[in-house]
Amino acid sequence: MPISTAEVEHVALLARLKLSPEEKAAYTEQLNAILEYMDKLNALDTRDVEPTAHVLPLRNVFRDDVSRPGLPREKALQGAPEVSEGQFKVPRVV
Amino acid sequence: MELYYLTAHELSDLLNRKEISSEEATAAIIDRIEAVDGRVQAYLTRTAEQALEEARAVDAARARGAALGPLAGVPMALKDNLCTEGVRTTCSSRMLADWVPPYDATVVRRLKEAGAVMLGKLNMDEFAMGSSTENSRFYPTRNPWDLERVPGGSSGGAVAAVAAGEAYYSLGSDTGGSIRQPASFCGVVGMKPTYGRVSRYGLVAFASSLDQIGPITRDVTDCALVLEAIAGHDPRDSTSADLPVPDYRSSLKPEVKGLKIGVPREYFGAGMEPEVAAIVRRAIAKLEELGAVCEETSLPHTEYALPAYYLVAPAEASSNLARYDGVSYGLRVPGKDIIEMYMNTRSEGFGPEVKRRIMLGTYALSSGYYDAYYLKALKVRTLIRRDFEAAFEKYDLLATPTSPTVAFRLGEKAGDPLAMYLSDLCTIPVNMAGLPALSLPCGFSQGLPVGLQLIGRPFAEATLLQAAYAFEQSTEYHRRRPELGVA
């Protein structure tokens, strides 16, 4: 089995997901089935193959460094769960 | 034929001849939605009042003698992952159930400028992750050809609406087949343009190196019209290609003489329903009869595309969906501190398939597994691209089935993620290589539509449209309309 329940718990923490015991069991089983299927890829020798992260032959795309109007503050905040003094409000961090 | 079952260009002709107003056509479609959407469940949000207002504005412009394009006054609808200013955009997720975007996606702005009338927003698999539209957090959409079957996915609502006469066309998004596979299941034309052909600005991101927006229409002419309206460079999407947009409609000549078409044998392998394979082979024979030169070929790395995709796409998704943290928009579920707030929000906001893919992607990118899984998949992606590059040295187009099966029954694959993933076997390699492809109706198996997939060279959408048009003009499949019953 490529992935244990402990690893599923660790990955869930990294992804900021809280899983119920049932979800942990189900994901452990399903992720193992999926990852076993992925092992198919090891049949290919890719030592000298360059990776493709992106299909277009683009490097950086620059624009002139000129200031332009952005989204107005009230529009940027309109969907926020909690707002205070024109800013996003979050629970206490420190 | 009923007004609601005309194509967009047929309606456009009636509007231009002033035989009907846009307001009348829009009202007729709103009635149609009222009459059938209780069964089809394609719409999540309807904007009837706004649509009638937009229609009246186009009618007024026409009365003034304004120069109007072919889509002016034609009612359409959008997959619910395309941002619409002032109209909620949910991605079929609890995370965004009440979210109203502060801006329009570039494609939406372009259609508005073309005089489009928007009827509403369409159901999908949550965050476009799925192949059946059963992963919607609201309700599943049904296939208009058989209401007990799925419409495909993830653009299931966008395709079912067009098939059922609930919109003249729609826009979907395609990351691994999400336009083409449902188009095949519902008997309409669906195109995934070349990566970079259409701006992704305002498309809620799933896997950014694979996502592309495209048209869903009742025939190839409409596909050309809609593509032309939405394509082109956009400074707001740095991956949109700075290339001129051809006049796609003028490429619609029913002419394939001398066109070289490769038929990759790997796309007719295990898992293919024999009748689907036979229908697609007959469609290819038809292209040959029309003058194309068809020949069997091989794309040897095809079988590796699916496992590589299910590492690349979830990896990108796990990163893209990190933004849903309950801070700047969308759902927030409180917790005792900020970490618990994040965890509560994400656990309640996302459904099971989205969580599964975030887990898979996070694992593939995590320390110790990155080289074995993610980097390996990127290298395999190179091999898949090279297969296509070699094939396109010999052929102008490739022809394959769009899906190995016809539409399956609701619930049939819901409990088995891997079986569901296999449904996109024929469409995924195209996204991995960034190529343009379209699915068009090419026959029926037990009363259910079958799609022919044509794949082209980068930015050769015109060639795809030309071959598709030639096929369509010599067949009648695109004229059939569903009864909205149970097969």
Side-chain angles (χ1 to χ4, degrees):
Chain A
M1 293 229 302
I3 181 166
S4 65
T5 306
E7 278 176 301
V8 166
E9 285 170 359
H10 174 64
V11 170
L13 180 68
L14 290 176
R16 297 287 183 257
L17 291 170
K18 191 168 72 184
L19 302 182
S20 67
E22 297 74 41
E23 281 180 309
K24 270 178 215 166
Y27 284 142
T28 304
E29 193 192 314
Q30 289 168 348
L31 291 177
N32 273 305
I34 294 166
L35 289 168
E36 271 166 30
Y37 177 66
M38 305 301 182
D39 280 342
K40 204 180 167 74
L41 296 177
N42 293 325
L44 291 173
D45 180 358
T46 52
R47 265 171 305 181
D48 300 321
V49 180
E50 285 292 307
T52 296
H54 205 273
V55 292
L56 293 177
L58 284 172
R59 288 272 174 234
N60 288 318
V61 179
F62 293 114
R63 67 168 172 87
D64 292 336
D65 186 14
V66 179
S67 70
R68 295 181 304 193
L71 200 61
R73 179 182 290 231
E74 59 278 14
K75 281 198 154 188
L77 292 170
Q78 81 182 20
E82 208 177 342
V83 170
S84 173
E85 296 170 38
Q87 298 179 64
F88 297 113
K89 190 175 175 190
V90 294
R92 199 190 151 94
V93 177
V94 284
Chain B
M1 193 173 290
E2 297 287 351
L3 181 62
Y4 53 75
Y5 268 151
L6 298 180
T7 63
H9 64 91
E10 285 165 348
L11 177 66
S12 186
D13 290 344
L14 295 181
L15 293 169
N16 282 329
R17 292 201 302 266
K18 301 198 169 117
E19 288 179 29
I20 185 172
S21 69
S22 174
E23 187 180 0
E24 288 165 322
T26 302
I29 298 297
I30 292 170
D31 286 347
R32 172 71 178 170
I33 295 169
E34 287 289 326
V36 303
D37 205 54
R39 280 175 282 160
V40 180
Q41 303 185 144
Y43 279 84
L44 291 176
T45 304
R46 301 187 208 168
T47 52
E49 285 312 308
Q50 195 178 320
L52 288 165
E53 233 169 81
E54 287 164 358
R56 283 191 286 268
V58 174
D59 287 336
R62 200 182 303 275
R64 283 198 305 274
L68 296 173
L71 298 177
V74 178
M76 59 84 187
L78 301 166
K79 185 176 183 179
D80 209 21
N81 58 354
L82 294 165
C83 287
T84 43
E85 186 174 354
V87 176
R88 73 168 189 159
T89 298
T90 69
C91 286
S92 287
S93 181
R94 196 169 292 165
M95 189 64 87
L96 294 175
D98 303 308
W99 183 57
V100 178
Y103 62 90
D104 278 330
T106 295
V107 291
V108 176
R109 186 173 50 77
R110 286 191 174 154
L111 288 181
K112 282 183 178 172
E113 283 164 8
V117 171
M118 190 187 75
L119 296 159
K121 307 294 293 286
L122 300 161
N123 201 15
M124 52 188 278
D125 286 298
E126 184 179 11
F127 283 102
M129 298 177 188
S131 308
S132 69
T133 315
E134 291 167 295
N135 293 336
S136 167
R137 299 299 292 286
F138 300 105
Y139 36 77
T141 295
R142 288 159 184 276
N143 190 316
W145 292 91
D146 178 350
L147 296 171
E148 289 177 356
R149 290 177 190 263
V150 302
S154 65
S155 311
V159 166
V162 173
E166 300 183 72
Y168 286 97
Y169 67 92
S170 66
L171 296 184
S173 66
D174 189 315
T175 305
S178 280
I179 289 174
R180 290 160 288 154
Q181 181 256 26
S184 157
F185 279 13
C186 293
V188 299
V189 178
M191 177 193 269
K192 183 201 91 73
T194 312
Y195 184 82
R197 179 76 287 183
V198 176
S199 168
R200 294 182 294 112
Y201 179 76
L203 166 68
V204 178
F206 162 11
S208 303
S209 81
L210 303 161
D211 296 341
Q212 190 65 190
I213 300 166
I216 295 158
T217 59
R218 294 203 186 108
D219 73 1
V220 175
T221 303
D222 283 357
C223 183
L225 293 177
V226 178
L227 178 64
E228 201 169 315
I230 62 172
H233 180 244
D234 177 11
R236 287 180 153 141
D237 172 4
S238 60
T239 63
S240 78
D242 198 356
L243 293 170
V245 178
D247 172 358
Y248 289 118
R249 197 173 189 178
S250 72
S251 63
L252 297 178
K253 297 184 203 82
E255 174 63 68
V256 288
K257 203 151 281 164
L259 205 67
K260 292 200 277 301
I261 299 180
V263 182
R265 70 176 70 94
E266 291 81 3
Y267 284 69
F268 294 82
M272 179 73 43
E273 280 175 13
E275 200 175 344
V276 169
I279 288 168
V280 170
R281 291 219 182 262
R282 275 206 295 281
I284 292 165
K286 182 80 192 175
L287 285 165
E288 205 159 19
E289 188 190 310
L290 295 169
V293 182
C294 301
E295 187 176 290
E296 189 168 293
T297 184
S298 171
L299 299 172
H301 295 96
T302 300
E303 63 174 306
Y304 303 103
L306 193 76
Y309 172 88
Y310 274 100
L311 290 165
V312 172
E316 293 188 23
S318 69
S319 165
N320 273 327
L321 272 62
R323 71 189 69 180
Y324 301 102
D325 57 4
V327 172
S328 48
Y329 57 98
L331 182 75
R332 172 186 289 187
V333 180
K336 67 173 175 358
D337 55 27
I338 194 164
I339 300 289
E340 199 184 89
M341 186 273 277
Y342 292 153
M343 297 190 78
N344 290 347
T345 298
R346 294 168 61 78
S347 303
E348 289 188 31
F350 294 135
E353 179 62 24
V354 174
K355 286 186 207 172
R356 189 178 298 122
R357 295 205 200 183
I358 290 175
M359 295 282 295
L360 183 56
T362 304
Y363 178 73
L365 291 174
S366 67
S367 160
Y369 301 102
Y370 182 93
D371 285 3
Y373 288 109
Y374 183 65
L375 190 64
K376 180 80 186 184
L378 294 187
K379 290 180 168 187
V380 173
R381 189 174 182 182
T382 303
L383 299 176
I384 293 159
R385 279 180 72 180
R386 286 186 192 157
D387 277 0
F388 281 110
E389 280 163 14
F392 284 123
E393 278 173 22
K394 283 168 73 181
Y395 306 108
D396 301 300
L397 289 176
L398 299 171
T400 76
T402 306
S403 168
T405 67
V406 292
F408 45 90
R409 288 179 188 284
L410 281 144
E412 192 179 320
K413 298 188 182 180
D416 185 351
L418 206 49
M420 188 73 91
Y421 297 171
L422 288 166
S423 175
D424 296 324
L425 206 60
C426 305
T427 48
I428 274 173
V430 175
N431 299 72
M432 294 293 271
L435 301 169
L438 65 71
S439 177
L440 78 161
C442 73
F444 288 81
S445 170
Q446 298 146 42
L448 296 165
V450 174
L452 169 68
Q453 176 173 246
L454 298 173
I455 308 168
R457 295 190 182 107
F459 300 100
E461 283 84 357
T463 313
L464 283 181
L465 289 164
Q466 184 180 338
Y469 185 71
F471 179 83
E472 181 186 87
Q473 292 306 301
S474 65
T475 56
E476 291 292 321
Y477 307 116
H478 64 294
R479 292 188 209 284
R480 295 206 11 204
R481 300 288 185 264
E483 306 280 345
L484 307 189
V486 172

